[in-house]
């Protein structure tokens, strides 16, 4: 029962491939980094350190997924930087600003 199925060729696309998931992840990661810097109170910026930023980007991906279905999420990352635990609360309204 073989059926012949027609094929098609994509000749163009009308969307911007640079926008989307990663851009939103980075926006959330920047918001979380700002919150951590205010809680940390240390000299410098958490953005200058690769490992804590990798942890923030991973958590930002999860936060983005949860906020797509829920109005808020608690964010907890243990020992984010200098053995300081990060606890924050993020809402969808805060993300949509």
């Amino acid at each position: 029962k073989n059926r012949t199925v027609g094929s098609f060729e994509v000749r163009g696309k009308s969307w911007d491939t640079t926008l989307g998931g990663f851009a939103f992840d980075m926006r959330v990661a920047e918001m979380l980094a700002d919150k951590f810097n205010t809680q940390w109170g240390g000299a410098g910026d958490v953005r200058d350190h690769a490992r804590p930023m990798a942890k923030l980007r991973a958590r930002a991906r999860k936060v983005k997924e949860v906020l797509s279905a829920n109005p808020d999420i608690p964010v907890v990352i243990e020992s984010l930087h200098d053995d300081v635990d990060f606890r924050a609360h993020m809402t969808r309204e805060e993300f949509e600003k």
Side-chain angles (χ1 to χ4, degrees), residues 19 22 49 56 65 67 87-88:
L19 297 175
F22 185 71
H49 306 283
L56 282 174
E65 292 170 1
L67 285 179
R87 288 177 172 75

Side-chain angles (χ1 to χ4, degrees), residues 1-8:
K1 295 189 175 194
N2 292 336
R3 274 197 262 172
T4 303
V5 178
S7 63
F8 65 93

Side-chain angles (χ1 to χ4, degrees), residues 10-97:
V10 176
R11 300 186 64 116
K13 56 185 180 182
S14 63
W15 66 82
D16 189 356
T17 58
T18 61
L19 297 175
F22 185 71
F24 290 125
D25 290 349
M26 292 306 295
R27 183 175 172 194
V28 173
E30 288 297 318
M31 294 171 77
L32 293 176
D34 288 337
K35 287 185 178 191
F36 179 74
N37 283 335
T38 58
Q39 284 183 7
W40 180 33
D45 193 353
V46 72
R47 292 176 188 89
D48 297 335
H49 306 283
R51 187 168 294 176
M53 281 307 295
K55 289 180 182 181
L56 282 174
R57 281 191 296 272
R59 181 60 66 177
R61 196 171 313 117
K62 179 73 173 175
V63 166
K64 178 189 72 172
E65 292 170 1
V66 171
L67 285 179
S68 68
N70 298 308
D72 58 353
I73 180 175
V75 180
V76 177
I77 305 173
E78 293 183 9
S79 186
L80 178 62
H81 184 59
D82 285 343
D83 292 329
V84 176
D85 295 341
F86 176 56
R87 288 177 172 75
H89 193 80
M90 189 140 187
T91 64
R92 187 182 301 166
E93 291 83 20
E94 185 179 8
F95 174 66
E96 291 175 348
K97 284 183 188 177

